[in-house]
Amino acid sequence: MGSVDHESVQQQQVEVPPHQPFFKSLKMTLKETFFPDDPLRQFKNKPPSKKLMLGIQYFFPIFQWAPKYTFNFFKADLIAGITIASLAIPQGISYAKLANLPPILGLYSSFIPPLIYAMMGSSRDLAVGTVAVGSLLMGSMLSDVVNPNEDPILYLHLAFTATLFAGIFQAALGLFRLGLIVDFLSHATIVGFMGGAATVVCLQQLKSILGLVHFTHGADIISVMRSVFTQTHEWRWESSVLGFVFIFFLLITRYFSKKQPRFFWVSAMAPLTSVILGSVLVYFTHAEKHGVEVIGELKKGLNPASVTKLVFVSPYMTTAVKTGIVVGIISLAEGIAVGRSFAMYKNYNIDGNKEMIAIGTMNIVGSFTSCYLTTGPFSRSAVNYNAGCKTAASNIIMSIAVMLTLLFLTPLFHYTPLVVLSAIIVSAMLGLIDYEAAIHLWKIDKFDFVVCMSAYIGVVFGSVEIGLVIAVAISVLRVLLFIARPRTFVLGNIPNSGIYRNVEQYPNAKHVPGILILEIDAPIYFANAGYLRERITRWIDEEENRIKATAETSLQYVIMDMSGVGNIDTSGISMLEEVKKITERRELQLVLVNPGSEVMKKLNKSKFQNHLGQRWIYLTVEEAVGACNFNLRARTNLKIDESENWDNV
């Protein structure tokens, strides 16, 4: 069977780890939970002045990279900053419209927040600004309470307040090292949610593309389709032609830049080019008199203060808090995911908690300066990356370009048609419908595909909030199922070796006569202790039935490989005690293999180790099988001797 001779090898005992005081153990657990990256290690054995400088650099990374800044870096960041500004200006105006906010807020939100992020952010490639999904989500949640058309002032103030609470929540997650909350948004959840939100955003642009005056406030596909097809007599062909022409133009430029990466600037400049061409066309053809709506007057000047406009009265404050938390989590997930993706390409690391503090701070400051929710959108960051940015200074360049636009160029946007802004939104959103990722999920993990499609369907047929709740609920349910229903396997011996593996995975693995070897592949907690007891009992029943059918040696030993059991609680220990009693009633011997340090510590404290006997706890499966085989041979020889003696009598 590939096992060693038990007589020739001395058993290596599984040691009980040294006793640690409770508070020391608790300290280590908290450290690993909230400080896995050990952020304080850089302060060790440093003089106070150095610690102060390191502390400043930790919260303001600009003081770390600015002293090393070179002219070559500046040239690269200047090109990148101007390029992303050409994308940020039309996108900012478009996304503000998506959030039912005045278009000028999109420019305000592309001025102050990037400056804050450039000082506090740890990503070199993240380009800060408003995002479509966050804008849609904020607009959807706030519109349920306040109609933006009937009370635009209150709606605007609520948007500032929701942005404040989003920033506070984001910064608090970073300060208290609670970024693990964002981890509950799995990759499958984000793919489905983003795809659903992008679909809803595209559908809502039909209002401007078809030139409709009255349109549903609902975000679901049924409400939108009903609104579109009950007003066919209101469709404006002028607006539709203009919209589809610009969508085609934007998609063609994106396709070209994707095929020819060195011409990335073609797709980056396309939105601003569309705005200019659309404005010129409307100005000379007077299309605004033929059903093509235009932006109208945009106020010149920099961001006005909005501190006094925040709403802290009931019932609106509750809405602002709820909206802030939801959009805050979504924007954090997007910003951190985008930052990590580009950091991986350039082979550097970003600190997730530091990013949360930076994004949260820029939203807090933004809420005081007439900005609404901002984060690091993928499209803008991709342009920043492809443009060759070297540091976060590209955000400063972009901010300066937006500032100049606010001071001198806003009147030029008067004739910008809304249908062009809708075309910009549609072209950007089509890139978020990642059907290839959904197909990949189907091939790899069907459950992840179900999570993805649940999020998508929930958003498209319900609302953005419903889709998010459904996806997170299914993801959490999956985690609970993993905990409550851990996998157990029967192990067999690989011929001519001392290796024991899952008999389902390795068909050539052979059952060891008289011995059932089980592997538990998860910590044992109160949530799964009952299930494991029942499953182990069933494994024993199934093994005994198999032995009867094959006429093999009767079952004598049950070996439990606990290498994968990282921890155990009191319910788990009670379960082991019950399994021990079950095996004793069936005249079987329970054997444990390789319990971890935490498990061994608790088995020792609970006296289970003494009840079982140290001789039945082994370091490896091979060693345990060798001991059991030795005992089986000894028992067989004893029976033979007794039989011979009886015959002689």
Side-chain angles (χ1 to χ4, degrees):
M1 287 300 168
S3 59
V4 296
D5 186 354
H6 183 67
E7 294 178 292
S8 63
V9 178
Q10 183 179 2
Q11 179 184 345
Q12 297 293 324
Q13 289 191 350
V14 180
E15 299 291 342
V16 179
H19 173 72
Q20 282 190 343
F22 170 74
F23 287 105
K24 183 178 180 181
S25 178
L26 178 63
K27 178 183 176 182
M28 290 297 297
T29 302
L30 292 175
K31 180 181 177 182
E32 288 303 311
T33 301
F34 298 107
F35 301 94
D37 53 341
D38 193 15
L40 300 178
R41 67 185 181 279
Q42 59 180 327
F43 296 94
K44 293 178 181 177
N45 304 318
K46 296 290 192 301
S49 58
K50 184 65 175 178
K51 288 182 179 179
L52 177 62
M53 178 54 66
L54 289 173
I56 293 173
Q57 289 177 348
Y58 180 81
F59 287 102
F60 298 94
I62 190 172
F63 291 107
Q64 188 173 6
W65 56 261
K68 307 172 187 175
Y69 202 67
T70 64
F71 184 68
N72 288 333
F73 282 7
F74 174 73
K75 288 192 295 184
D77 288 336
L78 179 65
I79 294 171
I82 293 173
T83 306
I84 57 176
S86 67
L87 180 64
I89 291 169
Q91 275 192 348
I93 295 172
S94 303
Y95 295 161
K97 169 179 168 286
L98 191 60
N100 301 317
L101 294 168
I104 193 67
L105 258 69
L107 296 181
Y108 290 160
S109 301
S110 299
F111 172 43
I112 298 293
L115 293 176
I116 303 297
Y117 184 82
M119 293 188 291
M120 301 186 67
S122 59
S123 172
R124 306 171 197 166
D125 304 280
L126 206 67
V128 170
T130 55
V131 286
V133 175
S135 301
L136 171 70
L137 190 53
M138 177 174 283
S140 173
M141 295 183 72
L142 295 182
S143 296
D144 289 340
V145 179
V146 178
N147 190 313
N149 297 320
E150 296 175 0
D151 200 344
I153 302 299
L154 176 59
Y155 183 88
L156 176 64
H157 295 176
L158 269 181
F160 294 149
T161 311
T163 301
L164 170 65
F165 284 114
I168 292 173
F169 180 71
Q170 292 167 335
L173 287 181
L175 287 170
F176 293 108
R177 318 286 294 183
L178 294 173
L180 52 91
I181 292 177
V182 180
D183 293 338
F184 278 98
L185 293 175
S186 65
H187 173 67
T189 301
I190 292 175
V191 169
F193 176 79
M194 290 294 186
T199 302
V200 168
V201 169
C202 291
L203 290 173
Q204 289 192 330
Q205 302 319 302
L206 291 173
K207 175 186 177 184
S208 296
I209 293 174
L210 297 175
L212 300 176
V213 177
H214 304 289
F215 203 72
T216 179
H217 291 293
D220 61 285
I221 187 173
I222 295 174
S223 299
V224 172
M225 290 294 98
R226 184 186 295 117
S227 185
V228 167
F229 288 104
T230 55
Q231 301 184 76
T232 52
H233 58 286
E234 298 287 342
W235 293 6
R236 309 289 300 199
W237 69 267
E238 300 93 341
S239 182
S240 300
V241 169
L242 202 60
F244 285 112
V245 165
F246 278 108
I247 289 174
F248 180 75
F249 168 70
L250 291 164
L251 292 178
I252 285 294
T253 56
R254 178 190 292 173
Y255 179 79
F256 175 74
S257 294
K258 191 174 181 180
K259 291 296 182 181
Q260 303 289 334
R262 67 180 182 276
F263 294 108
F264 67 90
W265 52 269
V266 173
S267 63
M269 297 294 291
L272 186 59
T273 303
S274 300
V275 168
I276 294 171
L277 291 176
S279 300
V280 170
L281 183 64
V282 169
Y283 179 79
F284 285 107
T285 62
H286 301 288
E288 75 275 13
K289 298 179 181 178
H290 301 280
V292 179
E293 291 187 73
V294 297
I295 289 179
E297 183 182 358
L298 287 182
K299 184 180 177 182
K300 288 175 64 174
L302 302 181
N303 302 33
S306 55
V307 180
T308 58
K309 299 175 182 178
L310 301 175
V311 181
F312 297 113
V313 296
S314 183
Y316 302 115
M317 183 175 171
T318 303
T319 301
V321 171
K322 182 177 72 171
T323 304
I325 291 175
V326 173
V327 299
I329 290 178
I330 294 300
S331 62
L332 265 187
E334 180 174 359
I336 293 175
V338 170
R340 283 177 176 165
S341 298
F342 290 112
M344 180 181 65
Y345 294 146
K346 288 190 176 180
N347 196 27
Y348 69 94
N349 295 318
I350 66 170
D351 187 329
N353 289 293
K354 193 185 298 184
E355 286 294 285
M356 293 178 192
I357 295 172
I359 294 173
T361 303
M362 74 183 188
N363 279 316
I364 292 172
V365 175
S367 69
F368 297 155
T369 53
S370 298
C371 304
Y372 79 103
L373 184 78
T374 51
T375 187
F378 178 80
S379 59
R380 208 173 301 180
S381 299
V383 170
N384 195 32
Y385 171 82
N386 290 325
C389 68
K390 298 298 183 183
T391 68
S394 59
N395 278 289
I396 299 176
I397 304 298
M398 176 188 70
S399 184
I400 292 172
V402 174
M403 178 189 71
L404 295 175
T405 301
L406 285 168
L407 289 174
F408 306 111
L409 303 179
T410 49
L412 299 180
F413 292 97
H414 183 282
Y415 289 100
T416 300
L418 296 183
V419 68
V420 171
L421 301 182
S422 293
I424 293 171
I425 292 173
V426 169
S427 65
M429 290 301 95
L430 290 176
L432 292 179
I433 304 175
D434 195 350
Y435 63 90
E436 291 180 351
I439 294 172
H440 182 70
L441 290 173
W442 170 259
K443 292 178 180 178
I444 302 299
D445 191 322
K446 301 296 190 292
F447 199 104
D448 269 350
F449 178 79
V450 170
V451 172
C452 173
M453 294 309 299
S454 298
Y456 182 86
I457 293 170
V459 172
V460 172
F461 288 93
S463 67
V464 178
E465 305 97 288
I466 290 174
L468 182 61
V469 169
I470 290 174
V472 172
I474 294 177
S475 297
V476 172
L477 176 63
R478 186 179 193 184
V479 173
L480 294 176
L481 286 175
F482 279 148
I483 295 172
R485 294 294 182 267
R487 298 294 301 275
T488 59
F489 311 99
V490 173
L491 303 184
N493 176 245
I494 303 295
N496 303 316
S497 76
I499 300 172
Y500 294 83
R501 292 293 182 266
N502 182 1
V503 295
E504 292 183 0
Q505 184 179 359
Y506 296 87
N508 63 327
K510 305 297 183 182
H511 291 269
V512 181
I515 304 172
L516 171 63
I517 310 170
L518 300 177
E519 178 183 355
I520 301 176
D521 198 26
I524 304 175
Y525 296 126
F526 66 92
N528 60 27
Y531 166 77
L532 284 173
R533 182 188 63 250
E534 298 298 330
R535 189 67 188 97
I536 292 169
T537 304
R538 278 195 289 132
W539 278 126
I540 295 172
D541 292 337
E542 291 170 11
E543 181 67 8
E544 289 181 336
N545 292 335
R546 188 189 69 81
I547 289 173
K548 288 178 183 177
T550 56
E552 292 182 6
T553 305
S554 62
L555 185 63
Q556 300 292 326
Y557 295 94
V558 177
I559 298 176
M560 289 174 52
D561 183 0
M562 302 182 70
S563 302
V565 181
N567 210 330
I568 191 169
D569 66 359
T570 53
S571 298
I573 293 172
S574 298
M575 182 275 291
L576 290 179
E577 291 173 346
E578 291 178 27
V579 170
K580 181 176 179 295
K581 292 176 182 177
I582 291 170
T583 54
E584 286 175 348
R585 284 198 296 268
R586 299 188 181 205
E587 298 182 349
L588 305 175
Q589 176 61 54
L590 178 65
V591 183
L592 301 185
V593 170
N594 195 29
S597 60
E598 283 297 313
V599 177
M600 200 63 191
K601 186 191 304 181
K602 293 178 181 177
L603 293 181
N604 181 57
K605 288 182 178 180
S606 66
K607 305 300 182 185
F608 179 82
Q609 179 185 354
N610 296 336
H611 296 155
L612 180 65
Q614 182 64 43
R615 65 186 294 255
W616 297 116
I617 302 178
Y618 293 89
L619 199 59
T620 66
V621 174
E622 183 182 12
E623 195 176 60
V625 171
C628 294
N629 279 331
F630 175 78
N631 291 331
L632 284 172
R633 287 197 300 269
R635 192 177 302 175
T636 302
N637 292 335
L638 179 61
K639 288 181 178 179
I640 292 173
D641 291 341
E642 289 177 349
S643 176
E644 289 177 351
N645 291 334
W646 181 257
D647 290 340
N648 291 332
V649 172

